[in-house]
Amino acid sequence: MTITFPSISISTDRLVMRPFEMADIPAYIEMMNDEAVTAWMDGPNPYTQVDAERWVRRIAPAERTAGHGIALAVTEFLTQRLVGSVRLLNTDWRTRSTEVRYITAPWARGEGYATESVLAIAQWLFRDQGFERIELRTPADNTASQQVAQKLGCISEGVLRNARIARTRTENGTDGGWTDIRTDLIVWGLLPEDLEGVAEQLADAGDYGTYNTWK
């Protein structure tokens, strides 16, 4: 029997994290074609309507049903606007460990939404699902992603050299203006004890909307 995560909705004061819906597609396409996302993520470029429909209809649901992880849309609680996404993958059910990746829409950056969403899913994993480890892998030059890991209390565990292909802008338009480059990955680990006091610290600093519930 395949072990899977439940179909879940997780909420904080400011955010709702839920399965992707067809109504998310226009905002998701816009987010995935943002330059910062294109540079660091390995999705299709340009990201099309067909790509988005495939993600919402097939790929994202299959992540959960196949037992690999779960992919959730992150939306603002008040406006329902798509803030970004958070995804668990490479889940090891025997060791109760998984990797987390996150994307934030351009308009929502600088509000602490990525930290808030990853913290909420980490609390759910540790408290409700009995997980013992979450791993983050951030490209060496992606300082914004590294700041999220640091705010969460993640421990830097080492560097995977030349382990990821990213993209950089080129002057040659024949390749769409992008070319592949290799980059190191910084590996971060988060254990249940690492989260002690983190939510309170972030709330005091005004960087995090208090965690509420999941269902």
Side-chain angles (χ1 to χ4, degrees), residues 79-167:
T79 67
Q80 303 303 306
R81 191 176 181 184
L82 185 70
V83 166
S85 67
V86 63
R87 179 185 180 189
L88 302 178
L89 67 163
N90 299 323
T91 303
D92 187 323
W93 291 97
R94 185 170 185 272
T95 62
R96 290 280 163 171
S97 64
T98 191
E99 180 182 348
V100 64
R101 294 182 187 173
Y102 39 89
I103 305 173
T104 305
W107 68 269
R109 291 173 192 152
E111 300 293 332
Y113 286 150
T115 305
E116 185 171 335
S117 60
V118 177
L119 178 54
I121 204 167
Q123 291 173 322
W124 172 68
L125 281 168
F126 290 150
R127 296 177 185 177
D128 190 70
Q129 298 297 303
F131 270 60
E132 297 292 338
R133 173 181 169 82
I134 301 172
E135 187 172 293
L136 293 77
R137 299 185 175 195
T138 62
D141 292 329
N142 191 343
T143 55
S145 189
Q146 292 163 32
Q147 288 172 357
V148 171
Q150 292 166 345
K151 287 180 179 181
L152 289 167
C154 298
I155 304 301
S156 177
E157 298 176 340
V159 176
L160 300 177
R161 297 181 300 162
N162 227 21
R164 181 75 175 269
I165 295 177
R167 299 184 180 106

Side-chain angles (χ1 to χ4, degrees), residues 15-200:
L15 302 175
V16 175
M17 304 156 63
R18 52 151 177 81
F20 278 90
E21 301 171 355
M22 294 299 292
D24 297 321
I25 285 178
Y28 191 69
I29 294 172
E30 182 178 358
M31 180 178 73
M32 294 300 290
N33 281 310
D34 173 67
E35 287 203 0
V37 175
T38 299
W40 298 119
M41 303 304 292
D42 53 6
N45 175 42
Y47 201 88
T48 69
Q49 178 83 18
V50 172
D51 296 321
E53 290 184 5
R54 184 182 298 118
W55 169 256
V56 172
R57 293 180 185 275
R58 294 170 46 195
I59 300 175
E63 288 284 294
R64 188 186 70 83
T65 57
H68 301 318
I70 193 170
L72 299 173
V74 182
T75 63
E76 275 192 324
F77 180 78
L78 293 177
T79 67
Q80 303 303 306
R81 191 176 181 184
L82 185 70
V83 166
S85 67
V86 63
R87 179 185 180 189
L88 302 178
L89 67 163
N90 299 323
T91 303
D92 187 323
W93 291 97
R94 185 170 185 272
T95 62
R96 290 280 163 171
S97 64
T98 191
E99 180 182 348
V100 64
R101 294 182 187 173
Y102 39 89
I103 305 173
T104 305
W107 68 269
R109 291 173 192 152
E111 300 293 332
Y113 286 150
T115 305
E116 185 171 335
S117 60
V118 177
L119 178 54
I121 204 167
Q123 291 173 322
W124 172 68
L125 281 168
F126 290 150
R127 296 177 185 177
D128 190 70
Q129 298 297 303
F131 270 60
E132 297 292 338
R133 173 181 169 82
I134 301 172
E135 187 172 293
L136 293 77
R137 299 185 175 195
T138 62
D141 292 329
N142 191 343
T143 55
S145 189
Q146 292 163 32
Q147 288 172 357
V148 171
Q150 292 166 345
K151 287 180 179 181
L152 289 167
C154 298
I155 304 301
S156 177
E157 298 176 340
V159 176
L160 300 177
R161 297 181 300 162
N162 227 21
R164 181 75 175 269
I165 295 177
R167 299 184 180 106
T168 188
R169 273 293 189 185
T170 66
E171 296 180 0
N172 185 352
T174 59
D175 57 4
W178 294 93
T179 188
D180 289 346
I181 57 171
R182 300 201 71 92
T183 184
D184 297 342
L185 285 177
I186 301 174
V187 179
W188 306 81
L190 186 68
L191 306 183
E193 56 266 30
D194 298 329
L195 276 187
E196 294 180 5
V198 169
E200 292 77 11

